[in-house]
Amino acid sequence: MAKGKGLTVTFKATLQNQLALLPLDLNDMVCANHPVRIVGDILDKIDISKLIAEYKTGGASSYHPKVLLKILVYAYINNIYSSRKIEEAVCQNINFMWLAGMNKPDHNTINRFRSKRLQRTLRPIFSQVVELLCQEGLLSIKELYTDGTKIEANANRYTFVWGNSIKTNREKIKKQLSELWEYAQQVAA
């Protein structure tokens, strides 16, 4: 019989409306070495007591500030600054779902958290995150700089950055981080 004659095309079954006997485990859907796991682990270790102090007792329950902080940090790492885009990511992206523990804060909640509660406490939290990344060996302060130098194909002694240059530029780095924070605030507004 000639190749392809008399044969039918078969497709994989689509089980879009199929019920699952057991609930899906998001842990199985996120790779073990994915950056979202690092964000989750690092932010689980930081002290957010000053941030928790921003909340008033009583009233309706709130999303845990650590969950909202994880969502924001991971969104910023992925260059997502708009609260509506973050809300969309939390509803559609498996990594955000895993990080949020299937919580789905809306854009108003994200904006209130970012503008009211996080505004006064971000700097100490940011410092803790950088220190923990250094302790874990995931970040070296020597590598924490931005440089506008164009790298040429043939490297010579003038095309790399000296260690002393990095030390003198720490203030410039702090200024650039502040500018990045201001940019994120403008986008959020």
Side-chain angles (χ1 to χ4, degrees):
M1 182 152 101
K3 189 175 184 179
K5 292 194 177 185
L7 298 177
T8 60
V9 178
T10 56
F11 297 104
K12 294 185 184 286
T14 303
L15 304 174
Q16 195 171 21
N17 297 318
Q18 177 70 35
L19 295 176
L21 180 59
L22 299 172
L24 296 175
D25 185 7
L26 286 179
N27 262 335
D28 295 338
M29 298 179 147
V30 177
C31 298
N33 58 352
H34 198 279
V36 74
R37 290 192 184 269
I38 295 171
V39 169
D41 291 343
I42 293 295
L43 292 177
D44 279 337
K45 294 177 184 176
I46 65 170
D47 175 30
I48 60 165
S49 55
K50 290 181 182 177
L51 181 58
I52 291 175
E54 293 285 322
Y55 287 83
K56 296 177 184 172
T57 57
S61 63
S62 301
Y63 291 104
H64 198 282
K66 208 166 255 193
V67 169
L68 294 171
L69 186 61
K70 288 177 185 181
I71 291 169
L72 273 180
V73 168
Y74 190 64
Y76 287 177
I77 287 172
N78 288 294
N79 292 324
I80 303 172
Y81 300 104
S82 162
S83 60
R84 291 184 190 270
K85 297 260 186 203
I86 295 171
E87 176 187 14
E88 182 180 323
V90 168
C91 293
Q92 296 177 359
N93 187 318
I94 301 260
N95 298 322
F96 278 94
M97 288 179 195
W98 177 83
L99 199 58
M102 293 303 291
N103 288 311
K104 295 180 181 175
D106 65 350
H107 62 278
N108 288 326
T109 303
I110 293 167
N111 263 341
R112 274 193 304 272
F113 176 74
R114 181 170 37 192
S115 63
K116 292 181 182 173
R117 305 201 196 291
L118 196 58
Q119 197 71 32
R120 291 180 288 255
T121 58
L122 181 70
R123 301 259 183 232
I125 290 172
F126 181 74
S127 299
Q128 284 183 60
V129 170
V130 171
E131 288 173 16
L132 279 170
L133 287 171
C134 290
Q135 289 173 4
E136 297 284 328
L138 298 169
L139 175 72
S140 171
I141 296 296
K142 292 178 184 175
E143 296 169 1
L144 185 64
Y145 64 92
T146 21
D147 185 17
T149 305
K150 294 180 181 178
I151 305 297
E152 298 177 17
N154 296 325
N156 62 36
R157 63 184 175 161
Y158 301 109
T159 60
F160 61 91
V161 180
W162 293 92
N164 288 336
S165 173
I166 294 168
K167 290 175 186 171
T168 58
N169 287 327
R170 282 211 173 127
E171 290 303 317
K172 184 190 270 187
I173 294 165
K174 289 179 184 177
K175 181 182 175 197
Q176 288 176 342
L177 289 172
S178 294
E179 288 171 359
L180 179 62
W181 174 251
E182 292 299 321
Y183 172 74
Q185 293 299 329
Q186 290 173 358
V187 170

